[in-house]
Amino acid sequence: MSAERLTLFEYLNEYNPVRYEAVDADNTVVDSMTAPELREQSLRLAAALREVAEPGDRVVIPPLSGLDFERAFFACVAAGMIAVPLPKMPSVASNKLRRVESILADCDARVIVSPPDEVALVAERTGVRALDPAVARQPAGDDGPGPAEPVARDPHDIVLLQYTSGSTGDPKGVEISQANLVINQREMGSRCDVTASTDIVAWLPSYHDMGLCSMVIQPVVTGARVVKIHTTDFIRRPLLWLEAISGRGEVWSAAPDFAYRTCLQALERAESFDADLSGWRTAGNASEPVRESTMVAFEKAMAPYGFRSTAFRPGYGLAESTVCVAVNAPVQARTVLSVDLAQLAQGVVVPVEPASGRAPLVGCGRPIDDSDVVILALDDAVVLGEDRVGELAVAGRSNARGYWKKPEVSEATFGTRIDGRSYLRTGDIAFLHDGEVFICDRLKDLIIAGGENYFPSDLEADVTARVAELDGTTVAVFQDAGGDVVFAFEAASSASAGDLEALIKSVVRAAAQTYPGRLRGVALRRGLIPKTTSGKVQRTRCRDLLATGSITPLHTWPERG
């Protein structure tokens, strides 16, 4: 692939059938544009950027109304600047404000593309200048900078800083180039059979790697139409997502596991609901642990509306490899694997017959063509064979260059050399089975007891499957400083002490069927188990908050002696 084919603006031409549409909470189109319109409008905004910043400068883009995020992102590309997508800017002093200030200082941001009144506090405290995205939508001939040709830059230069949503520590901005974005999304589009006849329906946050790629990059490199729902509209009314899919002939739409569960809960509360989901050909499931129970329940509930039992397509990815590492083609059914957990704790995968009350592992697909995935031993760079558990590592042109201004961390993460090739160590414990990726857990969350490895996600899934009261509840398993494994879960604060103790005892007894060591159950008020901005449970932070007394349990059993 030539360098010219790796630049995003090459795709914004009159021959590209892509169409971007944004819908409101009533599923009415409120903003739209074609590739030539996006080109012209983003170039106009790029000219305004160049009046206040220089090529290579960092430009913060929070979520914006309509399609202004898309205009702002391509304006950064055209201006030769580096886009930094972030969540909504806080308007009051808070922990969120401190994190934003930390990121803006880390990347030395120059501009925030946002209506100035929406970022007044952040601009005042950081000195970063606000630029109204409305400049892009000014009709030709109005006052203000006119379109200019894009700044010529090497497609391998950084165009995006994707800040990871870690729980603690310094923020880390993943350095992603135009070449990374184009290669990764062309590979994913080819694997998932996304074409100009596909409708991509998306509500994911623009500051999340899967949201940015599915709503901004995937459409332009495949020619597909994107139908964008604002994330807050999905949160307020989850069934809007399904309504936006309804009646379309060929749909690709992806979301984390929790989104499908949220739709099921909304369907139970709905007085009425009607949709035609027969055109939803690919339902991606990624970004957090994939649960077979969720997919089975969703298939059953949505079958009357035409949802196909073959639609679910679990996948695996991470920002450090742009977004997509593995996913299966539409013709391949998902793989569900039951394994011997005692053998798994010793690092060996032994398939067994499915057991009642035991949550199976779900395959996350085969690596896309440009990504080479291997499993490494946890303590060195020795490559393990299939059905051996270790750390997942990936090589390929989707891999980012490193972390912004963090050479030592970058070398540790991206610098493993195997047969002369650089591999990214993902920090995910996984194995390959028949060439497919299976994720066990995060390396940092690994529980070690008696020299064996246990995975929090296995405990969480198994106990949730055995204790019906935990269905749909946020849970977190971790090992505390004393060596106990703690099963924390959220419960209604109105529950009686007796009911809570009975539930905790059921939880601990269920966990003891999988984990042989000391166990403790902790009930917390709803909303107290911390999550990342993308909805992933932060087990380590939950452990730390409990240890410092920053969160108070409703009930604990057994009490520590």
Side-chain angles (χ1 to χ4, degrees):
M1 190 178 293
S2 66
E4 289 74 22
R5 297 284 301 280
L6 298 179
T7 57
L8 287 166
F9 255 78
E10 186 73 11
Y11 292 89
L12 295 182
N13 58 62
E14 60 184 311
Y15 305 107
N16 191 333
V18 63
R19 184 173 183 83
Y20 291 84
E21 295 179 353
V23 299
D24 63 12
D26 295 320
N27 196 23
T28 301
V29 176
V30 293
D31 196 359
S32 65
M33 58 188 173
T34 61
E37 290 169 339
L38 174 55
R39 180 184 180 90
E40 179 182 358
Q41 292 171 19
S42 59
L43 284 174
R44 186 175 293 115
L45 184 56
L49 279 171
R50 287 164 64 178
E51 291 186 351
V52 296
E54 300 292 331
D57 282 346
R58 276 68 61 201
V59 179
V60 172
I61 317 176
L64 300 169
S65 62
L67 297 169
D68 278 347
F69 180 92
E70 287 72 8
R71 297 179 178 100
F73 179 84
F74 280 101
C76 287
V77 176
M81 298 175 191
I82 299 174
V84 185
L86 290 181
K88 182 180 178 180
M89 298 289 102
S91 57
V92 297
S94 62
N95 289 333
K96 290 182 179 179
L97 177 59
R98 286 190 289 274
R99 176 169 173 79
V100 167
E101 290 176 329
S102 177
I103 291 175
L104 266 58
D106 182 72
C107 70
D108 190 21
R110 292 290 303 277
V111 184
I112 302 176
V113 179
S114 171
D117 60 316
E118 295 182 9
V119 294
L121 179 63
V122 171
E124 177 185 352
R125 290 175 62 115
T126 64
V128 178
R129 181 168 181 166
L131 177 64
D132 198 326
V135 171
R137 293 179 271 108
Q138 290 179 349
D142 282 10
D143 292 339
E149 286 304 302
V151 172
R153 297 201 72 187
D154 188 316
H156 297 282
D157 287 343
I158 304 167
V159 73
L160 167 68
L161 282 185
Q162 182 70 60
Y163 274 87
T164 58
S165 52
S167 58
T168 59
D170 295 333
K172 291 187 297 184
V174 183
E175 301 174 335
I176 298 174
S177 69
Q178 291 188 68
N180 293 145
L181 290 167
V182 171
I183 291 168
N184 187 265
Q185 288 303 285
R186 287 187 62 168
E187 289 278 352
M188 193 184 87
S190 176
R191 175 63 59 84
C192 295
D193 198 22
V194 177
T195 68
S197 63
T198 303
D199 284 346
I200 298 172
V201 182
W203 57 264
L204 296 166
S206 55
Y207 53 84
H208 187 269
D209 51 359
M210 189 161 71
L212 184 146
C213 285
S214 63
M215 293 189 300
V216 183
I217 310 302
Q218 180 70 208
V220 80
V221 301
T222 60
R225 174 169 60 176
V226 63
V227 180
K228 177 183 177 180
I229 301 165
H230 200 284
T231 305
T232 55
D233 287 335
F234 166 77
I235 293 171
R236 293 189 189 107
R237 196 163 72 83
L239 295 181
L240 171 63
W241 180 29
L242 308 188
E243 292 169 7
I245 291 171
S246 178
R248 299 182 184 274
E250 185 179 327
V251 174
W252 180 96
S253 190
D257 190 88
F258 85 87
Y260 296 100
R261 287 183 276 117
T262 299
C263 285
L264 292 175
Q265 294 163 3
L267 184 64
E268 291 178 355
R269 298 191 301 266
E271 295 181 1
S272 63
F273 175 71
D274 188 34
D276 174 11
L277 303 180
S278 59
W280 194 353
R281 187 169 51 84
T282 301
N285 191 334
S287 183
E288 65 179 28
V290 179
R291 296 175 176 86
E292 174 68 1
S293 59
T294 298
M295 293 185 286
V296 169
F298 192 89
E299 288 169 344
K300 181 178 179 181
M302 299 302 168
Y305 306 100
F307 184 79
R308 306 181 187 188
S309 62
T310 57
F312 270 118
R313 200 67 50 223
Y316 167 77
L318 70 167
E320 286 82 352
S321 193
T322 305
V323 61
C324 183
V325 171
V327 65
N328 277 338
V331 295
Q332 294 173 289
R334 71 177 181 268
T335 305
V336 181
L337 188 65
S338 294
V339 301
D340 185 319
L341 293 184
Q343 291 292 321
L344 193 69
Q346 298 180 43
V348 180
V349 177
V350 178
V352 296
E353 290 297 317
S356 176
R358 174 64 54 81
L361 298 173
V362 180
C364 291
R366 288 163 177 79
I368 57 176
D369 290 345
D370 195 68
S371 293
D372 177 35
V373 170
V374 297
I375 304 298
L376 302 180
L378 298 183
D379 53 359
D380 53 38
V382 174
V383 178
L384 304 177
E386 283 218 341
D387 292 333
R388 293 291 304 277
V389 179
E391 182 179 5
L392 188 149
V394 57
R397 294 182 298 166
S398 292
N399 280 2
R401 193 167 70 182
Y403 296 114
W404 181 258
K405 297 194 304 185
K406 289 181 169 51
E408 293 182 1
V409 179
S410 297
E411 176 61 25
T413 303
F414 294 88
T416 295
R417 304 285 293 181
I418 302 173
D419 295 332
R421 195 177 189 190
S422 293
Y423 280 76
L424 157 69
R425 299 195 76 131
T426 66
D428 286 312
I429 305 300
F431 61 87
L432 294 173
H433 179 78
D434 288 341
E436 189 165 4
V437 173
F438 287 76
I439 303 298
C440 298
D441 233 310
R442 291 290 294 164
L443 180 58
K444 66 181 181 180
D445 292 333
L446 190 64
I447 295 169
I448 302 175
E452 296 184 342
N453 298 326
Y454 294 87
F455 308 107
S457 59
D458 285 343
L459 283 168
E460 291 163 357
D462 283 349
V463 174
T464 301
R466 291 189 177 110
V467 182
E469 293 89 339
L470 295 183
D471 184 36
T473 300
T474 300
V475 300
V477 170
F478 50 85
Q479 195 165 27
D480 69 11
D484 289 4
V485 165
V486 178
F487 194 106
F489 62 93
E490 293 181 349
S493 56
S494 58
S496 69
D499 288 342
L500 283 175
E501 180 162 336
L503 178 55
I504 290 179
K505 288 180 177 179
S506 297
V507 165
V508 171
R509 288 165 183 155
Q513 296 183 49
T514 301
Y515 179 74
R518 293 189 306 176
L519 287 157
R520 188 154 44 92
V522 175
L524 299 168
R525 289 196 308 275
R526 287 175 182 162
L528 283 187
I529 292 180
K531 298 180 180 179
T532 68
T533 54
S534 58
K536 297 178 184 177
V537 170
Q538 296 172 311
R539 301 184 184 106
T540 302
R541 189 172 179 220
C542 185
R543 178 200 66 195
D544 294 343
L545 290 172
L546 278 167
T548 60
S550 299
I551 55 178
T552 304
L554 293 171
H555 200 78
T556 300
W557 187 86
E559 294 289 348
R560 184 180 295 172

